[in-house]
Amino acid sequence: MTANTMSKASVSAVESSRPSGLARLLRWLPSVLFILAGVLLFVSINQPYWGLVLQAPQYPGGLQMRVFVNNMTGDDDPRLDEVREIDGLNHYIGMKSLYEAAKLERSIAIPAVILMAVMLAVAAVWRRRWTWLLAVPAMLFPFIFLADLAYWMANFGQNLDPYAPLSSSIQPFVPPVLGEGVIGQFKTVAYVDTGWYIIITGSALILVGVLIRVVGMVRARG
Amino acid sequence: MIGQRIPSKVLLIGTILVVAVILALGVAPKASTVAQGDASSWQAIAEQRGLTEADMRAAAMTYTPSGVMDEYVMFASAGQGGQVLAIGLPSMRLLRLISVFAPEPWQGYGYGAGNEILEQGFIDGQEILWGDTHHPALSETNGEYDGNWLFIGDKANGRVAVIDLRDFETKQIVHNPAFMNDHGGTFVTPNTEYIVEGGQYGLPLGAEYAPIADYQTAYSGMITFWKFDKEAGRIDFENSFAMELPPYWQDLCDSGKGVSEGWVFCNSFNAEMATGGIESGNPPFEAGVSRGAVDYLHIINLEAAEAVFAAGGAVDVNGFKVIPLETAIENQLLYLAPEPRSPHGADVTPRGDFISIGGKLDPHVSVYSFQKIQDAIAAGTSETDVFGVPVLALESVLEAQVELGLGPLHTVYDDQGYAYTSLFLDSAVARWSIGAEGYRPQDGWSLINKTPVQYNVGHLAAAEGDTATPDGRFLVALNKWSVDRFLSTGPLLPQNLQLIDISQPGDQTQILYDLPITGAEPHYAQIIKADKLHAWEVYPEVGWDPVTQSVSPNAVLQGTEGITRDGNNVNVRMTAVRSHMTPEHVEIMAGDHVTWTITNVERARDATHGFAIPYYNINLSIEPGESITFEFEATRAGVFSFYCTEFCSALHLEMMGYMMVRPE
């Protein structure tokens, strides 16, 4: 069956059955929510997902790092590249360069986001019994992101160069993905940022959409 | 007997009472804690240290807690040390020493960095590695400090330096080859079109030889007008010019502003044209120069002089354009007015309407009216000096004279209509009222009070005191002697800079703070509101050359380090970052000519690295982002441990490398 005949079929189905207002809303709402979630995914690309503030006496304003879906930057003040600065400090404890972290993930991030959005769009317009599954990756994305981040932080924290200058002062550690930690003279505060809040909102929308669809299908079958 | 009569019950109660009292005393630490708390209060500390209420007021006005910024920055010359000091007010904390005319090892100045700036100041190939800095001048826009540039003169060698206030570093040194010394500089015109450098001792033009017997005919005075190119931030040598003056030992100058914009005023103190020679039985200079009853205020029409220069009226003297005295007279560029003998200072009031001249050997400050000067010039005068320069009659131009005390030297102004004149012999600062409209007509021209200072005050500086709108509030007395003010450190004593509160009217002035200056003698200072300064935190881009204030074409970035050789010329390209330099092994041959560029690739504030090569007299201070190129001949074979000389990090000591110079 081609997409054309399919949509004609659904249109005629809608016309013939003439469901109530609420039923109509419930039928279309998941698609609207999926599309909205897809838009939010795109919007999130320009926003930081996660942030880390490092505070130490010799950096009175603190050092701020922001992680985007495919990128790492410092704060908005262009005078100091915080990522480079943190990287420079990390060599004292034997940590690998931050630019080495999640290289694969960062390189495929944008295509992956586009793919997830396309899958959402397909799930929105192609209302088959199983197509809600296409929305699942996007729904899980915020958690996948944090899990991957936690993996890399543990990986980097655990794999310190044993010959690094401060190796006797700073033992391998697992930095917290959220909340406060301490590394040497630095106090760290990690938090999720705007981008992550945007995609978690998307996840909530998808969840609602999926539930409506799945429950609707179950009821229709029942 | 009595004891025998005391019943045991009473004894018991008595014992209990005694024990209770002892216990109560034992608990007394509470009470003594309270006493200790009192002893650590500020009132108790003040009492213990013998501080009066006035002292505590001074402390409250000046104490600046850690992390709190000062309200003003004072730029003070550092005299024969050849440098400039930046001092915060009201804390009187020394913020920065700016290297200008003399090498300064901790800044690398002259030891690999800034050598080309110092070389600009060499005269006919002669190395000159010091200066006698006298009068700093902040650049102005509409008669107000704009916080962009600072200029400073070198009295000894007649040079002027340009300092960029984005990084507080010297960018240029110029010398007028037609003349040797200066004193009346630097002073800027209200929009920094010109930096005025008045000469001092009479000399043959172009530093030529002429017998002293020919003083009157072969010696001259001079004033130089340096054209400042604001776009380039440099003095434009080609469009600068000078004017020949009679050899009267011009002293201090000031630019007109407001109504007197376009005019320049200088006092002088050897109208006698004394030539000294104490060894031959002649009166020494100190007597000969002070013999006559009057000297001359020089009144210069700069606007007209500029036109004469533009029209080709200047002649070439030793490669510099000079308007000859005859041309100046012919074109009415110069007028003289008598002033009490051997005065000091010619300080224009905020509105530009008066010029105050301290009597020095005369107890008055003499105030000249610019309007009266204009009227007298318009009326014309038949009187001239021996060179034919028109002399305006004193009574036709004098507005007022105020008797202040002994040794009046230099005058600055505040926002209440008061003027302040230093009294060198009295060791005091006189506050007097300017009795004219717009100042303090209610008080007339009168002495208000004298604040004793310690001791032998030279110049004064008031907050924004020589702008069109002085701030008042603070005055600094730049005292030449400190005598008993500080712990003795041997026979050489510091100067004493005293901060004075001038915020209250009338006779309420108070000394707030003494700052000993060990970096030679500050002659003059200017005080600018701190929020007008916009200094960089780090250099704008990695690879920055502070000499050109742009990214250096030689800049070494991370990943481009290396050593290349072309015959005997070796090019070392190095980066520095906490806590290593790349490369760490530099292998060269004895006899090589080495060009070495090092970039501090740091971007963190204060992450400065030093760089020293022992035995080769090289030491640098490389600020974050800065790139420095230096050259030397590898004359000595051996292994040289180069290292970072500014403590940069936990691994600072490890930040080193070896320069191996193989024998030929």
Side-chain angles (χ1 to χ4, degrees):
Chain A
M1 185 190 278
T2 64
N4 237 352
T5 54
M6 180 206 77
S7 65
K8 267 181 193 163
S10 6
V11 167
S12 61
V14 170
E15 278 169 357
S16 64
S17 61
R18 297 227 171 251
S20 68
L22 178 67
R24 232 152 78 190
L25 178 71
L26 286 177
R27 206 160 167 200
W28 283 106
L29 190 58
S31 300
V32 173
L33 293 176
F34 292 170
I35 297 288
L36 215 56
V39 170
L40 287 176
L41 259 182
F42 273 109
V43 171
S44 78
I45 290 175
N46 286 325
Q47 297 296 323
Y49 277 31
W50 183 81
L52 180 69
V53 175
L54 292 100
Q55 277 157 344
Q58 51 276 78
Y59 292 94
L63 290 171
Q64 182 169 44
M65 185 167 116
R66 287 174 179 169
V67 170
F68 291 72
V69 66
N70 65 332
N71 196 7
M72 294 173 291
T73 67
D75 61 18
D76 295 330
D77 188 340
R79 287 171 296 186
L80 177 69
D81 181 345
E82 276 88 350
V83 180
R84 254 188 68 158
E85 188 68 19
I86 294 167
D87 229 21
L89 294 167
N90 280 345
H91 91 274
Y92 291 116
I93 60 171
M95 189 179 277
K96 287 178 279 184
S97 168
L98 295 173
Y99 297 103
E100 298 299 318
K103 274 168 116 171
L104 173 71
E105 292 91 321
R106 284 187 281 127
S107 66
I108 63 164
I110 299 298
V113 166
I114 294 170
L115 181 65
M116 285 187 286
V118 168
M119 286 162 75
L120 279 172
V122 171
V125 298
W126 194 20
R127 288 180 293 146
R128 286 289 130 128
R129 191 171 288 174
W130 58 273
T131 49
W132 63 271
L133 287 168
L134 293 171
V136 172
M139 186 168 76
L140 297 180
F141 181 48
F143 307 103
I144 294 168
F145 172 83
L146 284 183
D148 190 56
L149 188 74
Y151 163 75
W152 281 108
M153 286 179 77
N155 178 311
F156 269 50
Q158 290 291 307
N159 291 298
L160 300 181
D161 179 356
Y163 299 105
L166 286 176
S167 55
S168 58
S169 304
I170 314 253
Q171 300 302 320
F173 62 100
V174 180
V177 177
L178 290 174
E180 295 185 5
V182 174
I183 311 164
Q185 82 271 37
F186 282 90
K187 190 184 143 198
T188 64
V189 183
Y191 58 95
V192 287
D193 211 342
T194 321
W196 194 85
Y197 287 116
I198 291 172
I199 56 171
I200 195 74
T201 307
S203 295
L205 299 180
I206 294 168
L207 181 65
V208 172
V210 166
L211 283 176
I212 294 171
R213 255 204 201 171
V214 171
V215 170
M217 281 188 301
V218 170
R219 286 176 68 177
R221 197 181 282 181
Chain B
M1 257 171 70
I2 297 166
Q4 281 174 348
R5 286 170 60 187
I6 296 173
S8 59
K9 227 181 209 175
V10 175
L11 258 178
L12 183 66
I13 292 167
T15 310
I16 289 168
L17 274 174
V18 168
V19 169
V21 167
I22 288 168
L23 278 175
L25 283 174
V27 192
K30 264 184 194 168
S32 71
T33 308
V34 173
Q36 269 168 15
D38 282 342
S40 68
S41 70
W42 64 266
Q43 292 94 336
I45 292 167
E47 198 181 323
Q48 192 205 342
R49 296 190 67 208
L51 301 177
T52 64
E53 208 173 306
D55 294 334
M56 294 309 287
R57 180 180 177 275
M61 286 191 75
T62 55
Y63 176 67
T64 306
S66 179
V68 176
M69 301 297 142
D70 278 306
E71 282 182 72
Y72 290 92
V73 175
M74 173 165 68
F75 292 96
S77 65
Q80 63 277 49
Q83 318 293 46
V84 170
L85 304 170
I87 296 160
L89 261 64
S91 74
M92 297 297 272
R93 295 181 293 201
L94 179 60
L95 302 176
R96 174 78 191 250
L97 180 145
I98 303 170
S99 322
V100 186
F101 294 112
E104 193 64 49
W106 75 275
Q107 294 183 9
Y109 193 65
Y111 298 90
N115 290 39
E116 58 267 65
I117 305 287
L118 282 168
E119 281 163 23
Q120 290 174 12
F122 294 176
I123 294 170
D124 298 333
Q126 172 63 53
E127 275 192 3
I128 298 173
L129 294 174
W130 77 289
D132 188 10
T133 54
H134 266 244
H135 306 109
L138 287 154
S139 59
E140 293 181 12
T141 302
N142 299 323
E144 305 288 349
Y145 302 148
D146 57 30
N148 294 331
W149 309 94
L150 181 73
F151 312 101
I152 184 88
D154 161 25
K155 166 168 168 160
N157 307 290
R159 297 177 298 170
V160 167
V162 178
I163 295 160
D164 189 335
L165 292 178
R166 288 175 295 182
D167 61 357
F168 282 47
E169 289 198 355
T170 304
K171 303 300 170 191
Q172 186 184 24
I173 298 176
V174 293
H175 170 59
N176 171 357
F179 211 66
M180 184 177 288
N181 56 53
D182 70 38
H183 190 260
T186 50
F187 298 94
V188 298
T189 52
N191 283 297
T192 323
E193 298 90 344
Y194 287 98
I195 302 149
V196 180
E197 182 194 20
Q200 178 122 80
Y201 305 121
L203 282 167
L205 292 185
E208 299 290 330
Y209 174 80
I212 193 80
D214 298 344
Y215 186 83
Q216 198 171 315
T217 53
Y219 286 52
S220 300
M222 183 158 291
I223 186 163
T224 308
F225 301 104
W226 293 105
K227 181 79 186 163
F228 188 62
D229 180 344
K230 281 185 233 180
E231 285 298 307
R234 300 288 183 273
I235 285 169
D236 176 357
F237 192 90
E238 295 305 317
N239 286 306
S240 302
F241 66 99
M243 187 196 291
E244 185 191 6
L245 299 174
Y248 291 157
W249 295 16
Q250 290 75 29
D251 188 28
L252 277 165
C253 304
D254 202 357
S255 295
K257 51 172 147 321
V259 289
S260 55
E261 186 167 348
W263 292 74
V264 170
F265 311 93
C266 306
N267 75 294
S268 68
F269 59 95
N270 189 12
E272 298 86 346
M273 293 191 276
T275 52
I278 187 172
E279 65 287 351
S280 314
N282 296 323
F285 278 115
E286 64 168 320
V289 161
S290 314
R291 185 170 285 181
V294 294
D295 281 285
Y296 289 123
L297 167 65
H298 291 54
I299 301 156
I300 298 164
N301 188 341
L302 172 57
E303 216 171 275
E306 193 180 11
V308 168
F309 165 64
V315 300
D316 190 284
V317 178
N318 216 5
F320 201 77
K321 290 277 182 281
V322 179
I323 298 174
L325 184 58
E326 311 84 72
T327 311
I329 296 167
E330 217 170 274
N331 290 279
Q332 299 170 321
L333 307 182
L334 176 66
Y335 296 89
L336 302 174
E339 51 187 16
R341 70 165 66 165
S342 296
H344 198 71
D347 304 302
V348 177
T349 51
R351 290 158 172 256
D353 41 4
F354 300 106
I355 304 117
S356 304
I357 295 184
K360 192 163 87 176
L361 304 182
D362 175 284
H364 298 91
V365 64
S366 300
V367 183
Y368 294 75
S369 155
F370 180 73
Q371 187 54 51
K372 287 184 178 176
I373 288 170
Q374 292 303 301
D375 293 345
I377 288 172
T381 174
S382 53
E383 204 186 322
T384 65
D385 72 347
V386 293
F387 299 99
V389 183
V391 178
L392 309 173
L394 178 62
E395 57 278 10
S396 71
V397 293
L398 192 69
E399 179 73 21
Q401 283 189 313
V402 187
E403 187 170 342
L404 301 179
L406 295 178
L409 290 184
H410 174 230
T411 303
V412 292
Y413 306 97
D414 73 4
D415 58 335
Q416 301 184 66
Y418 292 123
Y420 302 83
T421 301
S422 53
L423 301 175
F424 181 82
L425 298 174
D426 278 349
S427 279
V429 174
R431 172 186 252 183
W432 51 278
S433 79
I434 302 169
E437 219 39 65
Y439 299 95
R440 283 190 87 82
Q442 69 272 31
D443 289 341
W445 297 92
S446 63
L447 173 67
I448 304 293
N449 82 329
K450 290 200 230 177
T451 309
V453 293
Q454 291 73 36
Y455 302 90
N456 291 357
V457 57
H459 275 275
L460 301 174
E464 307 239 328
D466 50 15
T467 67
T469 55
D471 277 13
R473 302 185 58 196
F474 298 113
L475 178 79
V476 174
L478 288 75
N479 304 309
K480 309 290 188 187
W481 286 19
S482 60
V483 191
D484 61 355
R485 291 293 107 172
F486 306 107
L487 283 175
S488 175
T489 52
L492 179 60
L493 270 57
Q495 319 286 318
N496 186 16
L497 268 51
Q498 284 183 307
L499 181 70
I500 301 171
D501 170 25
I502 54 166
S503 60
Q504 305 303 311
D507 61 359
Q508 305 166 70
T509 52
Q510 187 193 349
I511 295 201
L512 301 176
Y513 198 88
D514 284 20
L515 170 66
I517 291 288
T518 60
E521 177 186 342
H523 288 274
Y524 184 50
Q526 286 190 330
I527 301 170
I528 182 174
K529 199 93 191 346
D531 60 17
K532 289 185 180 174
L533 296 168
H534 303 287
W536 288 329
E537 292 184 356
V538 296
Y539 280 113
E541 288 176 58
V542 173
W544 200 262
D545 179 1
V547 176
T548 60
Q549 294 290 47
S550 60
V551 172
S552 165
N554 298 330
V556 186
L557 302 180
Q558 270 174 317
T560 70
E561 302 96 340
I563 302 167
T564 53
R565 170 178 289 281
D566 177 15
N568 277 344
N569 292 313
V570 175
N571 201 354
V572 181
R573 299 170 54 74
M574 179 175 270
T575 58
V577 71
R578 281 162 291 167
S579 306
H580 60 272
M581 286 165 284
T582 308
E584 291 183 331
H585 295 167
V586 176
E587 292 200 44
I588 55 177
M589 300 285 292
D592 282 346
H593 176 81
V594 184
T595 305
W596 192 312
T597 301
I598 178 164
T599 304
N600 178 351
V601 298
E602 302 273 6
R603 300 311 285 148
R605 205 175 173 190
D606 213 355
T608 294
H609 293 293
F611 178 79
I613 305 179
Y615 288 19
Y616 273 90
N617 198 36
I618 287 165
N619 181 47
L620 311 175
S621 168
I622 324 158
E623 284 94 63
E626 184 173 2
S627 188
I628 299 174
T629 300
F630 59 95
E631 296 180 39
F632 64 94
E633 306 295 331
T635 47
R636 184 183 173 123
V639 176
F640 303 87
S641 46
F642 61 78
Y643 70 102
C644 172
T645 45
E646 171 131 355
F647 208 107
C648 60
S649 60
L651 295 170
H652 161 72
L653 297 177
E654 289 79 354
M655 191 166 173
M656 66 84 66
Y658 290 106
M659 177 175 85
M660 338 267 240
V661 185
R662 282 172 195 262
E664 276 180 280

